[in-house]
Amino acid sequence: MSDFLQKIEQVEQEARGRIAGAGGLEALEALRLEYLGRKGKITRVLHSLGSVSAGERPALGKRANQVKEAVSGLLDRRRGEMEQARLRDELSRHKVDVTLPGERPWSGSIHPLNQTLARINEVFFSMGFALAVGPEVEDDFHNFDALNTPADHPARDEHDTFYLEGGLLLRSHTSPVQVRYMQNNPPPVRIIAPGRVFRRDTSDASHSPVFHQVEGLYVDEHVAFGDLKYTLEQFARLMFGDEVRVRFRPSFFPFTEPSAEVDCLCVFCKGSGCSVCGQSGWIELLGCGMVHPNVFEAVGYDPERWTGFAFGMGIDRICMLLNDINDIRLLLESDVEFLSQF
Ligand code: DAH
């Protein structure tokens, strides 16, 4: 046997033995360098091919390459086995049962009040109303005086309104946004203004010191009560469905003349009378009316030329109706258990 052949067989044997006995991935990598690296033992044998006779060279070269492939393959196989073993070991140490259902990530949802507001917005946007906002801390002028509500009006009673220092107050309704909008924009006007309002009410199932309203204001030339009626009937239909029945009832608000309240036939008892509608068969939805000329005067609109209607509705009340919720306090206490139903 030629020296070359002997050498290559010997290197192969040795490599097989050492690979089989390698204790870890690092040892294996060291072996790869030792045998197959640039100055590795097998590499060196291959380089020495030049010194064998030309006749033997093809056969010996072939054999040497087989050895190189075999050792390389062995190294790869051992590496694979070691990695598998390490994974198995880790899995068993952490006792992971991969067949158990995973933990779902917490996912929030939109608060029912905001869902309701989004629907109200959508209905009025579809009729061409735009969004307006105003501050929650107001003054007497915007919350009352400009809305034709003089100082001796019962709504200004300290028992109803939260007064702050410096003559400021927490707005008791969203109607001051009407005033601020008209002060800053010339007619025509077509806005809705949703937001939080505050009253010194003791909370119970239907009262909360904090609740939410959507104000609406439409001003143009020749606006008639029929426009108001059509708009609000259309709103009720889009909000509650075609089968909804609404009625307009004469009422009083200082900032509208004439004024009305709009009720819808109780969605729970269909008018026969139940505890939700207080046996009346009707549920109050909103207040509305034709904008009082004194309000136009207060904001600098010419009451001889401009006409309009306004309305204000409680978002909490509508949300409760739509979702069959019987206590307003549930909406404002951040009870995740309750909210996760929506
Ligand atoms: N601001 C009234 C309230 O809080 C609701 C209201 C009634 C608003 C009539 C209006 C309106 O714009 O025209 O009770």
Side-chain angles (χ1 to χ4, degrees):
M1 205 192 312
S2 76
D3 280 358
F4 184 91
L5 195 56
Q6 211 174 356
K7 180 78 187 149
I8 193 75
E9 301 286 347
Q10 183 203 328
V11 172
E12 180 182 16
Q13 284 246 319
E14 179 191 304
R16 282 182 183 277
R18 293 188 60 199
I19 290 168
L25 286 165
E26 273 173 32
L28 213 58
E29 193 48 38
L31 286 175
R32 180 183 295 281
L33 277 176
E34 186 175 335
Y35 286 92
L36 300 173
R38 240 169 1 110
K39 294 191 175 148
K41 289 178 180 168
I42 294 176
T43 317
R44 277 212 305 270
V45 178
L46 274 165
H47 283 163
S48 71
L49 253 183
S51 59
V52 306
S53 70
E56 287 179 309
R57 206 176 293 152
L60 290 176
K62 190 175 170 200
R63 176 77 192 112
N65 272 312
Q66 278 172 352
V67 169
K68 183 182 166 189
E69 292 299 314
V71 169
S72 172
L74 260 180
L75 282 166
D76 287 345
R77 181 137 27 96
R78 278 296 287 151
R79 165 181 291 275
E81 285 166 5
M82 285 179 185
E83 280 173 349
Q84 282 283 327
R86 198 191 56 190
L87 263 177
R88 262 199 307 277
D89 183 50
E90 243 172 56
L91 279 175
S92 74
R93 239 179 317 124
H94 294 144
K95 297 252 185 308
V96 174
D97 181 350
V98 294
T99 65
L100 284 175
E103 273 179 35
R104 284 194 181 283
W106 178 260
S107 80
S109 57
I110 296 176
H111 192 285
L113 275 176
N114 279 328
Q115 292 181 23
T116 305
L117 175 57
R119 284 185 55 183
I120 297 173
N121 283 344
E122 205 180 309
V123 168
F124 285 109
F125 292 165
S126 79
M127 294 192 238
F129 284 75
L131 196 70
V133 289
E136 290 175 356
V137 173
E138 268 296 1
D139 51 39
D140 276 325
F141 178 76
H142 292 92
N143 199 77
F144 293 123
D145 297 271
L147 290 164
N148 197 33
T149 311
D152 56 0
H153 191 276
R156 296 184 65 154
D157 195 322
E158 273 187 44
H159 295 297
D160 291 341
T161 307
F162 286 108
Y163 280 94
L164 307 171
E165 283 169 19
L168 297 174
L169 51 85
L170 294 180
R171 67 178 178 192
S172 58
H173 52 178
T174 44
S175 303
V177 186
Q178 292 187 31
V179 178
R180 289 188 180 273
Y181 191 88
M182 287 191 281
Q183 283 178 318
N184 292 304
N185 299 274
V189 173
R190 210 184 314 176
I191 53 155
I192 53 168
R196 198 157 27 179
V197 301
F198 309 85
R199 282 185 207 170
R200 290 176 62 146
D201 279 329
T202 308
S203 62
D204 60 28
S206 53
H207 294 87
S208 160
V210 180
F211 58 105
H212 305 78
Q213 291 186 329
V214 176
E215 192 76 15
L217 176 66
Y218 187 107
V219 179
D220 205 334
E221 289 170 314
H222 313 300
V223 179
F225 197 89
D227 298 312
L228 164 64
K229 243 189 132 182
Y230 174 78
T231 303
L232 293 178
E233 278 169 0
Q234 195 64 14
F235 161 75
R237 201 163 297 131
L238 291 169
M239 197 70 197
F240 299 104
D242 279 340
E243 65 285 358
V244 77
R245 279 195 48 213
V246 296
R247 72 175 182 190
F248 283 69
R249 197 160 36 76
S251 185
F252 172 80
F253 299 99
F255 35 89
T256 44
E257 183 60 38
S259 303
E261 277 174 89
V262 176
D263 305 329
C264 73
L265 198 69
C266 179
V267 289
F268 296 101
C269 65
K270 308 276 180 260
S272 60
C274 68
S275 64
V276 177
C277 59
Q279 309 307 327
S280 72
W282 295 89
I283 291 178
E284 192 186 311
L285 272 189
L286 54 88
C288 61
M290 303 306 291
V291 179
H292 198 291
N294 289 355
V295 177
F296 284 144
E297 296 263 20
V299 299
Y301 281 13
D302 177 2
E304 294 300 323
R305 177 168 176 206
W306 301 106
T307 45
F309 64 78
F311 55 88
M313 64 184 79
I315 305 176
D316 310 67
R317 166 80 67 92
I318 295 175
C319 175
M320 290 165 73
L321 281 179
L322 288 173
N323 294 292
D324 206 356
I325 297 169
N326 60 9
D327 191 325
I328 191 173
R329 290 169 295 192
L330 287 167
L331 292 173
L332 297 167
E333 288 165 11
S334 295
D335 181 338
V336 174
E337 194 85 16
F338 166 76
L339 291 176
S340 60
Q341 301 173 81
F342 301 94

